[in-house]
Amino acid sequence: YYIDWAAAFDASIVHIGGSPEALAQIRRGGKDLDQFFNASSFWREKSRPSPHDVYTSFEKLDALNKSKGYSSSTFTSWLRKSDQKLVTPTAKLIDMAISSAAFNVHYDYDAASNSYLRSQGGAAHLVTSSASGPGVQLAPKVVIAMIIPYSIVDGSGHSGYGVNGSGVVYIFQDGGSTVGTWSKAGRTSQIVFKDSADQPIKLNAGQTWVTMLAIPSKITYIP
């Protein structure tokens, strides 16, 4: 399903390993940046436990893309708008039950920056690297929760999400919430968000964080 997400943006797929199904699909077509075949573009960070210690950089990936002829992408952008903060926020605290306490997500709306401070597993979710020091808390401008069919696709326990189709979407921005629908016609088609009146939903400019949830009860939010 990661391939389906990225294909909508005509993006390169950077990966270290993968399920047999995904590896077969990306090697049949797509912009494949497989660490196994491009080891010099990655490194191991000794401060991190294996196998979660593989890193790269935009500089290395830009050079790798260029070497493979991946010099441009053609895609349909999501509709954007200017910030329009609510005078009285209606969704300041957002919780998403991902899989367990260690991965459950919480957002605190920050009116000053009109963004959402992200926490995971009960602690601030920080952007960190060997050079970033103590780290900076993630703070997307838009938070999206898509309700998507979920299943185990084979005996090895790989997760499968029905990312091509349609369903309910919850969009949080400007301190408020919008319940609408998402739709995606096929692998290379862009995700479309519409409100209850079937009109396209415009998103604030800036980082948008999208989470997939199996059922609506996995998400709660309060003023």
Side-chain angles (χ1 to χ4, degrees):
Y1 52 90
Y2 287 110
I3 300 174
D4 289 275
W5 293 127
F9 293 93
D10 193 20
S12 300
I13 304 288
V14 185
H15 59 101
I16 299 91
S19 69
E21 299 88 350
L23 291 175
Q25 289 178 33
I26 192 62
R27 288 170 183 170
R28 285 198 300 266
K31 298 175 178 178
D32 184 15
L33 301 184
D34 190 334
Q35 181 265 346
F36 184 82
F37 299 108
N38 303 281
S40 63
S41 297
F42 299 80
W43 73 86
R44 297 275 178 175
E45 182 60 56
K46 293 181 180 179
S47 64
R48 299 281 183 171
S50 178
H52 307 291
D53 58 346
V54 184
Y55 280 72
T56 185
S57 67
F58 283 114
E59 291 77 14
K60 286 183 176 291
L61 292 182
D62 286 344
L64 184 57
N65 269 318
K66 185 177 180 180
S67 72
K68 295 182 177 297
Y70 306 154
S71 58
S72 64
S73 295
T74 301
F75 61 93
T76 300
S77 299
W78 285 337
L79 299 177
R80 297 288 184 169
K81 68 176 186 63
S82 300
D83 288 18
Q84 296 174 315
K85 290 196 297 184
L86 296 179
V87 175
T88 303
T90 58
K92 293 176 65 177
L93 305 178
I94 307 166
D95 287 282
M96 300 183 190
I98 305 298
S99 60
S100 66
F103 300 100
N104 288 344
V105 170
H106 175 80
Y107 288 97
D108 291 289
Y109 175 63
D110 178 61
S113 62
N114 196 30
S115 62
Y116 296 82
L117 299 173
R118 192 176 201 273
S119 298
Q120 181 172 292
H125 191 171
L126 305 180
V127 179
T128 60
S129 72
S130 58
S132 67
V136 178
Q137 188 171 9
L138 288 164
K141 296 288 288 187
V142 183
V143 172
I144 296 178
M146 296 172 61
I147 308 304
I148 290 181
Y150 170 79
S151 63
I152 302 298
V153 298
D154 58 29
S156 60
H158 295 134
S159 294
Y161 290 89
V163 300
N164 298 313
S166 61
V168 176
V169 68
Y170 296 79
I171 296 180
F172 301 91
Q173 58 184 349
D174 296 320
S177 63
T178 300
V179 181
T181 60
W182 66 267
S183 61
K184 189 174 187 300
R187 167 159 286 184
T188 59
S189 301
Q190 183 56 275
I191 306 166
V192 175
F193 302 114
K194 292 188 176 182
D195 61 21
S196 58
D198 202 35
Q199 296 301 304
I201 299 173
K202 295 182 178 181
L203 309 177
N204 285 347
Q207 187 183 68
T208 298
W209 195 289
V210 182
T211 297
M212 295 177 287
L213 298 170
I215 53 177
S217 61
K218 296 290 186 180
I219 180 170
T220 58
Y221 51 96
I222 58 176

